[in-house]
Amino acid sequence: MGARLASGLVLAAVAALVIGLSDVLGLDLQHVALLGAALGGALGLIPHRSDWGKLAGFGVGFVVAWLGFALRAAVLPDAASGRAVAALIVVALLAVMAAVSCGRLPLWSGLLGAAAIVGAYEEVYTTAPSQFVAESPAAATTVLLAAALGYLATSLLPVIRPEGRHAGPERLEHESAATESDIDALMAGEQQ
């Protein structure tokens, strides 16, 4: 319970810090602070065999979803059918990414990356689709900054076990593998 509470409190402080820095530095982070911090925090908390794999999966998901917006702006109709085609392409590409990488780039982290840009930019895009080139970089950088801070807040905390001692690397590796296989089975739709 202590590690969960510490992670949550640090993440809460980071979200507040992002909003405070936004105001002080004149950045437009306020509307994406909680979104980015929450997604980055989840990325940091979910175990995976490699931090680089889950970070790369997040990055690929982010870029693929951003390209989905580009596709919508360039050739797809600004209607439900255009959004549906873009969503189909984005999620299908992320599934292919996870399959081709044999899970090294997990589907869940790609979906978190896609959710980050969609959550930060969908409303702005809907208001002015023709402004994609001008407006999407600002949305991308602001939510990525918030997500990076959320990730750092949760991934840099020491891992404390209920027994009150720090887990050794071999124990963490074993437990992470078990948890990871449970998450992978859940994502594949298998019942435990």
Side-chain angles (χ1 to χ4, degrees):
M1 181 172 105
R4 290 184 185 120
L5 179 60
S7 296
L9 291 176
V10 168
L11 192 55
V14 165
L17 178 67
V18 168
I19 292 171
L21 283 175
S22 173
D23 193 39
V24 169
L25 299 175
L27 303 172
D28 189 23
L29 291 172
Q30 294 179 8
H31 69 285
V32 297
L34 183 57
L35 171 70
L39 292 172
L43 188 66
L45 288 171
I46 298 173
H48 185 66
R49 63 184 100 150
S50 154
D51 283 340
W52 288 110
K54 64 183 179 179
L55 287 171
F58 182 91
V60 169
F62 191 90
V63 169
V64 167
W66 182 79
L67 291 173
F69 279 113
L71 182 65
R72 284 172 60 187
V75 297
L76 293 175
D78 189 23
S81 61
R83 288 186 289 279
V85 169
L88 174 73
I89 291 170
V90 167
V91 176
L93 286 174
L94 294 178
V96 169
M97 167 206 70
V100 168
S101 72
C102 297
R104 287 183 190 89
L105 304 178
L107 178 59
W108 61 263
S109 71
L111 294 172
L112 287 178
I117 187 63
V118 170
Y121 183 59
E122 179 68 37
E123 185 178 343
V124 174
Y125 177 84
T126 303
T127 304
S130 62
Q131 297 299 313
F132 169 76
V133 173
E135 307 240 349
S136 67
T141 55
T142 55
V143 76
L144 283 176
L145 176 60
L149 292 173
Y151 176 79
L152 289 174
T154 56
S155 66
L156 296 181
L157 290 175
V159 178
I160 301 173
R161 294 292 171 218
E163 301 88 41
R165 59 178 188 219
H166 292 280
E170 53 285 330
R171 182 171 172 193
L172 282 176
E173 185 176 308
H174 171 72
E175 290 180 7
S176 292
T179 305
E180 182 181 321
S181 65
D182 294 342
I183 292 170
D184 290 341
L186 182 64
M187 294 300 289
E190 299 171 9
Q191 297 295 326
Q192 297 290 324

PDB file of all heavy atoms in Angstrom, residues 156-182:
ATOM      1  N   LEU A 156      10.673   6.453 -11.465  1.00  0.00           N
ATOM      2  CA  LEU A 156      11.887   6.674 -10.698  1.00  0.00           C
ATOM      3  C   LEU A 156      11.726   6.406  -9.211  1.00  0.00           C
ATOM      4  O   LEU A 156      12.696   6.460  -8.465  1.00  0.00           O
ATOM      5  CB  LEU A 156      12.397   8.107 -10.918  1.00  0.00           C
ATOM      6  CG  LEU A 156      12.824   8.435 -12.345  1.00  0.00           C
ATOM      7  CD1 LEU A 156      13.319   9.868 -12.431  1.00  0.00           C
ATOM      8  CD2 LEU A 156      13.898   7.474 -12.831  1.00  0.00           C
ATOM      9  N   LEU A 157      10.504   6.098  -8.769  1.00  0.00           N
ATOM     10  CA  LEU A 157      10.299   5.779  -7.360  1.00  0.00           C
ATOM     11  C   LEU A 157      10.861   4.400  -7.053  1.00  0.00           C
ATOM     12  O   LEU A 157      10.770   3.489  -7.875  1.00  0.00           O
ATOM     13  CB  LEU A 157       8.804   5.773  -7.032  1.00  0.00           C
ATOM     14  CG  LEU A 157       8.120   7.129  -7.035  1.00  0.00           C
ATOM     15  CD1 LEU A 157       6.632   6.949  -6.819  1.00  0.00           C
ATOM     16  CD2 LEU A 157       8.699   8.013  -5.953  1.00  0.00           C
ATOM     17  N   PRO A 158      11.436   4.214  -5.869  1.00  0.00           N
ATOM     18  CA  PRO A 158      11.910   2.870  -5.503  1.00  0.00           C
ATOM     19  C   PRO A 158      10.720   1.925  -5.371  1.00  0.00           C
ATOM     20  O   PRO A 158       9.641   2.329  -4.942  1.00  0.00           O
ATOM     21  CB  PRO A 158      12.610   3.074  -4.168  1.00  0.00           C
ATOM     22  CG  PRO A 158      12.054   4.337  -3.620  1.00  0.00           C
ATOM     23  CD  PRO A 158      11.654   5.182  -4.808  1.00  0.00           C
ATOM     24  N   VAL A 159      10.939   0.676  -5.742  1.00  0.00           N
ATOM     25  CA  VAL A 159       9.881  -0.328  -5.648  1.00  0.00           C
ATOM     26  C   VAL A 159       9.955  -0.947  -4.264  1.00  0.00           C
ATOM     27  O   VAL A 159      10.952  -1.536  -3.892  1.00  0.00           O
ATOM     28  CB  VAL A 159      10.048  -1.404  -6.740  1.00  0.00           C
ATOM     29  CG1 VAL A 159       8.982  -2.465  -6.596  1.00  0.00           C
ATOM     30  CG2 VAL A 159      10.000  -0.758  -8.100  1.00  0.00           C
ATOM     31  N   ILE A 160       8.889  -0.780  -3.492  1.00  0.00           N
ATOM     32  CA  ILE A 160       8.849  -1.286  -2.125  1.00  0.00           C
ATOM     33  C   ILE A 160       7.780  -2.376  -2.055  1.00  0.00           C
ATOM     34  O   ILE A 160       6.666  -2.192  -2.517  1.00  0.00           O
ATOM     35  CB  ILE A 160       8.525  -0.159  -1.131  1.00  0.00           C
ATOM     36  CG1 ILE A 160       9.594   0.925  -1.240  1.00  0.00           C
ATOM     37  CG2 ILE A 160       8.422  -0.695   0.286  1.00  0.00           C
ATOM     38  CD1 ILE A 160       9.291   2.164  -0.439  1.00  0.00           C
ATOM     39  N   ARG A 161       8.153  -3.499  -1.521  1.00  0.00           N
ATOM     40  CA  ARG A 161       7.236  -4.625  -1.393  1.00  0.00           C
ATOM     41  C   ARG A 161       6.490  -4.556  -0.061  1.00  0.00           C
ATOM     42  O   ARG A 161       6.968  -3.928   0.883  1.00  0.00           O
ATOM     43  CB  ARG A 161       8.020  -5.951  -1.481  1.00  0.00           C
ATOM     44  CG  ARG A 161       8.626  -6.155  -2.839  1.00  0.00           C
ATOM     45  CD  ARG A 161       7.505  -6.379  -3.827  1.00  0.00           C
ATOM     46  NE  ARG A 161       8.051  -6.360  -5.162  1.00  0.00           N
ATOM     47  CZ  ARG A 161       7.439  -5.828  -6.179  1.00  0.00           C
ATOM     48  NH1 ARG A 161       6.279  -5.280  -6.045  1.00  0.00           N
ATOM     49  NH2 ARG A 161       7.973  -5.852  -7.373  1.00  0.00           N
ATOM     50  N   PRO A 162       5.344  -5.237   0.071  1.00  0.00           N
ATOM     51  CA  PRO A 162       4.566  -5.204   1.301  1.00  0.00           C
ATOM     52  C   PRO A 162       5.351  -5.631   2.540  1.00  0.00           C
ATOM     53  O   PRO A 162       5.066  -5.199   3.628  1.00  0.00           O
ATOM     54  CB  PRO A 162       3.412  -6.185   1.035  1.00  0.00           C
ATOM     55  CG  PRO A 162       3.287  -6.220  -0.446  1.00  0.00           C
ATOM     56  CD  PRO A 162       4.679  -5.980  -0.973  1.00  0.00           C
ATOM     57  N   GLU A 163       6.359  -6.495   2.375  1.00  0.00           N
ATOM     58  CA  GLU A 163       7.146  -6.935   3.520  1.00  0.00           C
ATOM     59  C   GLU A 163       8.007  -5.801   4.056  1.00  0.00           C
ATOM     60  O   GLU A 163       8.686  -5.954   5.058  1.00  0.00           O
ATOM     61  CB  GLU A 163       8.081  -8.100   3.125  1.00  0.00           C
ATOM     62  CG  GLU A 163       7.370  -9.314   2.596  1.00  0.00           C
ATOM     63  CD  GLU A 163       7.142  -9.241   1.094  1.00  0.00           C
ATOM     64  OE1 GLU A 163       8.031  -8.797   0.351  1.00  0.00           O
ATOM     65  OE2 GLU A 163       6.062  -9.627   0.658  1.00  0.00           O
ATOM     66  N   GLY A 164       8.048  -4.668   3.360  1.00  0.00           N
ATOM     67  CA  GLY A 164       8.804  -3.528   3.818  1.00  0.00           C
ATOM     68  C   GLY A 164      10.247  -3.524   3.370  1.00  0.00           C
ATOM     69  O   GLY A 164      11.052  -2.761   3.849  1.00  0.00           O
ATOM     70  N   ARG A 165      10.612  -4.380   2.445  1.00  0.00           N
ATOM     71  CA  ARG A 165      11.996  -4.395   1.982  1.00  0.00           C
ATOM     72  C   ARG A 165      12.007  -4.162   0.484  1.00  0.00           C
ATOM     73  O   ARG A 165      11.022  -4.395  -0.209  1.00  0.00           O
ATOM     74  CB  ARG A 165      12.650  -5.718   2.335  1.00  0.00           C
ATOM     75  CG  ARG A 165      11.924  -6.875   1.717  1.00  0.00           C
ATOM     76  CD  ARG A 165      12.579  -8.189   2.023  1.00  0.00           C
ATOM     77  NE  ARG A 165      11.865  -9.132   1.201  1.00  0.00           N
ATOM     78  CZ  ARG A 165      11.523 -10.335   1.541  1.00  0.00           C
ATOM     79  NH1 ARG A 165      11.878 -10.806   2.678  1.00  0.00           N
ATOM     80  NH2 ARG A 165      10.843 -11.100   0.748  1.00  0.00           N
ATOM     81  N   HIS A 166      13.143  -3.731   0.009  1.00  0.00           N
ATOM     82  CA  HIS A 166      13.297  -3.519  -1.422  1.00  0.00           C
ATOM     83  C   HIS A 166      13.458  -4.864  -2.107  1.00  0.00           C
ATOM     84  O   HIS A 166      14.129  -5.755  -1.594  1.00  0.00           O
ATOM     85  CB  HIS A 166      14.526  -2.643  -1.723  1.00  0.00           C
ATOM     86  CG  HIS A 166      14.348  -1.246  -1.243  1.00  0.00           C
ATOM     87  ND1 HIS A 166      13.622  -0.325  -1.936  1.00  0.00           N
ATOM     88  CD2 HIS A 166      14.763  -0.627  -0.111  1.00  0.00           C
ATOM     89  CE1 HIS A 166      13.617   0.816  -1.277  1.00  0.00           C
ATOM     90  NE2 HIS A 166      14.301   0.666  -0.163  1.00  0.00           N
ATOM     91  N   ALA A 167      12.834  -5.002  -3.247  1.00  0.00           N
ATOM     92  CA  ALA A 167      12.949  -6.245  -3.999  1.00  0.00           C
ATOM     93  C   ALA A 167      14.243  -6.231  -4.794  1.00  0.00           C
ATOM     94  O   ALA A 167      14.637  -5.213  -5.330  1.00  0.00           O
ATOM     95  CB  ALA A 167      11.761  -6.389  -4.951  1.00  0.00           C
ATOM     96  N   GLY A 168      14.883  -7.373  -4.854  1.00  0.00           N
ATOM     97  CA  GLY A 168      16.106  -7.501  -5.647  1.00  0.00           C
ATOM     98  C   GLY A 168      15.779  -7.592  -7.123  1.00  0.00           C
ATOM     99  O   GLY A 168      14.637  -7.869  -7.509  1.00  0.00           O
ATOM    100  N   PRO A 169      16.760  -7.373  -8.005  1.00  0.00           N
ATOM    101  CA  PRO A 169      16.508  -7.384  -9.449  1.00  0.00           C
ATOM    102  C   PRO A 169      15.936  -8.702  -9.945  1.00  0.00           C
ATOM    103  O   PRO A 169      15.048  -8.721 -10.781  1.00  0.00           O
ATOM    104  CB  PRO A 169      17.877  -7.125 -10.067  1.00  0.00           C
ATOM    105  CG  PRO A 169      18.776  -6.707  -8.965  1.00  0.00           C
ATOM    106  CD  PRO A 169      18.138  -7.067  -7.678  1.00  0.00           C
ATOM    107  N   GLU A 170      16.434  -9.837  -9.391  1.00  0.00           N
ATOM    108  CA  GLU A 170      15.923 -11.118  -9.883  1.00  0.00           C
ATOM    109  C   GLU A 170      14.476 -11.330  -9.467  1.00  0.00           C
ATOM    110  O   GLU A 170      13.673 -11.866 -10.217  1.00  0.00           O
ATOM    111  CB  GLU A 170      16.802 -12.296  -9.436  1.00  0.00           C
ATOM    112  CG  GLU A 170      17.081 -12.403  -7.958  1.00  0.00           C
ATOM    113  CD  GLU A 170      18.106 -11.408  -7.407  1.00  0.00           C
ATOM    114  OE1 GLU A 170      19.024 -10.969  -8.101  1.00  0.00           O
ATOM    115  OE2 GLU A 170      17.944 -11.052  -6.231  1.00  0.00           O
ATOM    116  N   ARG A 171      14.093 -10.863  -8.287  1.00  0.00           N
ATOM    117  CA  ARG A 171      12.708 -10.979  -7.854  1.00  0.00           C
ATOM    118  C   ARG A 171      11.810 -10.081  -8.695  1.00  0.00           C
ATOM    119  O   ARG A 171      10.724 -10.475  -9.108  1.00  0.00           O
ATOM    120  CB  ARG A 171      12.597 -10.605  -6.381  1.00  0.00           C
ATOM    121  CG  ARG A 171      11.191 -10.754  -5.857  1.00  0.00           C
ATOM    122  CD  ARG A 171      11.172 -10.597  -4.372  1.00  0.00           C
ATOM    123  NE  ARG A 171       9.784 -10.558  -3.938  1.00  0.00           N
ATOM    124  CZ  ARG A 171       9.418 -10.191  -2.750  1.00  0.00           C
ATOM    125  NH1 ARG A 171      10.307  -9.849  -1.863  1.00  0.00           N
ATOM    126  NH2 ARG A 171       8.149 -10.172  -2.425  1.00  0.00           N
ATOM    127  N   LEU A 172      12.259  -8.867  -8.944  1.00  0.00           N
ATOM    128  CA  LEU A 172      11.483  -7.954  -9.783  1.00  0.00           C
ATOM    129  C   LEU A 172      11.302  -8.522 -11.178  1.00  0.00           C
ATOM    130  O   LEU A 172      10.229  -8.430 -11.754  1.00  0.00           O
ATOM    131  CB  LEU A 172      12.166  -6.589  -9.870  1.00  0.00           C
ATOM    132  CG  LEU A 172      11.986  -5.675  -8.679  1.00  0.00           C
ATOM    133  CD1 LEU A 172      12.807  -4.414  -8.889  1.00  0.00           C
ATOM    134  CD2 LEU A 172      10.542  -5.344  -8.463  1.00  0.00           C
ATOM    135  N   GLU A 173      12.365  -9.098 -11.732  1.00  0.00           N
ATOM    136  CA  GLU A 173      12.272  -9.655 -13.083  1.00  0.00           C
ATOM    137  C   GLU A 173      11.249 -10.769 -13.132  1.00  0.00           C
ATOM    138  O   GLU A 173      10.417 -10.841 -14.022  1.00  0.00           O
ATOM    139  CB  GLU A 173      13.643 -10.169 -13.521  1.00  0.00           C
ATOM    140  CG  GLU A 173      13.656 -10.650 -14.946  1.00  0.00           C
ATOM    141  CD  GLU A 173      15.057 -11.062 -15.360  1.00  0.00           C
ATOM    142  OE1 GLU A 173      15.990 -10.267 -15.176  1.00  0.00           O
ATOM    143  OE2 GLU A 173      15.191 -12.191 -15.850  1.00  0.00           O
ATOM    144  N   HIS A 174      11.269 -11.655 -12.114  1.00  0.00           N
ATOM    145  CA  HIS A 174      10.317 -12.760 -12.069  1.00  0.00           C
ATOM    146  C   HIS A 174       8.888 -12.238 -11.911  1.00  0.00           C
ATOM    147  O   HIS A 174       7.982 -12.665 -12.614  1.00  0.00           O
ATOM    148  CB  HIS A 174      10.677 -13.703 -10.913  1.00  0.00           C
ATOM    149  CG  HIS A 174       9.638 -14.755 -10.661  1.00  0.00           C
ATOM    150  ND1 HIS A 174       9.446 -15.800 -11.525  1.00  0.00           N
ATOM    151  CD2 HIS A 174       8.732 -14.895  -9.671  1.00  0.00           C
ATOM    152  CE1 HIS A 174       8.453 -16.560 -11.074  1.00  0.00           C
ATOM    153  NE2 HIS A 174       8.009 -16.023  -9.938  1.00  0.00           N
ATOM    154  N   GLU A 175       8.686 -11.292 -10.976  1.00  0.00           N
ATOM    155  CA  GLU A 175       7.349 -10.765 -10.758  1.00  0.00           C
ATOM    156  C   GLU A 175       6.860  -9.954 -11.945  1.00  0.00           C
ATOM    157  O   GLU A 175       5.702 -10.009 -12.306  1.00  0.00           O
ATOM    158  CB  GLU A 175       7.318  -9.929  -9.482  1.00  0.00           C
ATOM    159  CG  GLU A 175       7.456 -10.783  -8.240  1.00  0.00           C
ATOM    160  CD  GLU A 175       7.435  -9.977  -6.967  1.00  0.00           C
ATOM    161  OE1 GLU A 175       7.179  -8.766  -7.039  1.00  0.00           O
ATOM    162  OE2 GLU A 175       7.659 -10.571  -5.905  1.00  0.00           O
ATOM    163  N   SER A 176       7.755  -9.188 -12.581  1.00  0.00           N
ATOM    164  CA  SER A 176       7.370  -8.416 -13.754  1.00  0.00           C
ATOM    165  C   SER A 176       6.964  -9.337 -14.883  1.00  0.00           C
ATOM    166  O   SER A 176       6.008  -9.075 -15.596  1.00  0.00           O
ATOM    167  CB  SER A 176       8.507  -7.509 -14.217  1.00  0.00           C
ATOM    168  OG  SER A 176       8.714  -6.496 -13.264  1.00  0.00           O
ATOM    169  N   ALA A 177       7.688 -10.443 -15.057  1.00  0.00           N
ATOM    170  CA  ALA A 177       7.355 -11.380 -16.128  1.00  0.00           C
ATOM    171  C   ALA A 177       5.979 -11.993 -15.876  1.00  0.00           C
ATOM    172  O   ALA A 177       5.174 -12.139 -16.788  1.00  0.00           O
ATOM    173  CB  ALA A 177       8.418 -12.470 -16.238  1.00  0.00           C
ATOM    174  N   ALA A 178       5.703 -12.350 -14.612  1.00  0.00           N
ATOM    175  CA  ALA A 178       4.392 -12.921 -14.301  1.00  0.00           C
ATOM    176  C   ALA A 178       3.300 -11.891 -14.527  1.00  0.00           C
ATOM    177  O   ALA A 178       2.272 -12.179 -15.129  1.00  0.00           O
ATOM    178  CB  ALA A 178       4.366 -13.417 -12.859  1.00  0.00           C
ATOM    179  N   THR A 179       3.506 -10.681 -14.066  1.00  0.00           N
ATOM    180  CA  THR A 179       2.516  -9.626 -14.246  1.00  0.00           C
ATOM    181  C   THR A 179       2.352  -9.305 -15.718  1.00  0.00           C
ATOM    182  O   THR A 179       1.244  -9.109 -16.193  1.00  0.00           O
ATOM    183  CB  THR A 179       2.939  -8.364 -13.471  1.00  0.00           C
ATOM    184  OG1 THR A 179       3.149  -8.726 -12.118  1.00  0.00           O
ATOM    185  CG2 THR A 179       1.888  -7.291 -13.565  1.00  0.00           C
ATOM    186  N   GLU A 180       3.472  -9.253 -16.436  1.00  0.00           N
ATOM    187  CA  GLU A 180       3.423  -8.956 -17.867  1.00  0.00           C
ATOM    188  C   GLU A 180       2.649 -10.019 -18.624  1.00  0.00           C
ATOM    189  O   GLU A 180       1.831  -9.704 -19.483  1.00  0.00           O
ATOM    190  CB  GLU A 180       4.840  -8.859 -18.404  1.00  0.00           C
ATOM    191  CG  GLU A 180       4.911  -8.503 -19.854  1.00  0.00           C
ATOM    192  CD  GLU A 180       6.353  -8.450 -20.312  1.00  0.00           C
ATOM    193  OE1 GLU A 180       7.205  -7.976 -19.571  1.00  0.00           O
ATOM    194  OE2 GLU A 180       6.585  -8.912 -21.430  1.00  0.00           O
ATOM    195  N   SER A 181       2.861 -11.298 -18.281  1.00  0.00           N
ATOM    196  CA  SER A 181       2.120 -12.341 -18.983  1.00  0.00           C
ATOM    197  C   SER A 181       0.634 -12.254 -18.644  1.00  0.00           C
ATOM    198  O   SER A 181      -0.208 -12.530 -19.482  1.00  0.00           O
ATOM    199  CB  SER A 181       2.684 -13.725 -18.661  1.00  0.00           C
ATOM    200  OG  SER A 181       2.496 -14.022 -17.285  1.00  0.00           O
ATOM    201  N   ASP A 182       0.311 -11.848 -17.406  1.00  0.00           N
ATOM    202  CA  ASP A 182      -1.093 -11.654 -17.049  1.00  0.00           C
ATOM    203  C   ASP A 182      -1.699 -10.520 -17.866  1.00  0.00           C
ATOM    204  O   ASP A 182      -2.821 -10.634 -18.357  1.00  0.00           O
ATOM    205  CB  ASP A 182      -1.230 -11.326 -15.564  1.00  0.00           C
ATOM    206  CG  ASP A 182      -0.826 -12.485 -14.659  1.00  0.00           C
ATOM    207  OD1 ASP A 182      -0.766 -13.627 -15.154  1.00  0.00           O
ATOM    208  OD2 ASP A 182      -0.574 -12.232 -13.470  1.00  0.00           O
TER     209      ASP A 182
END
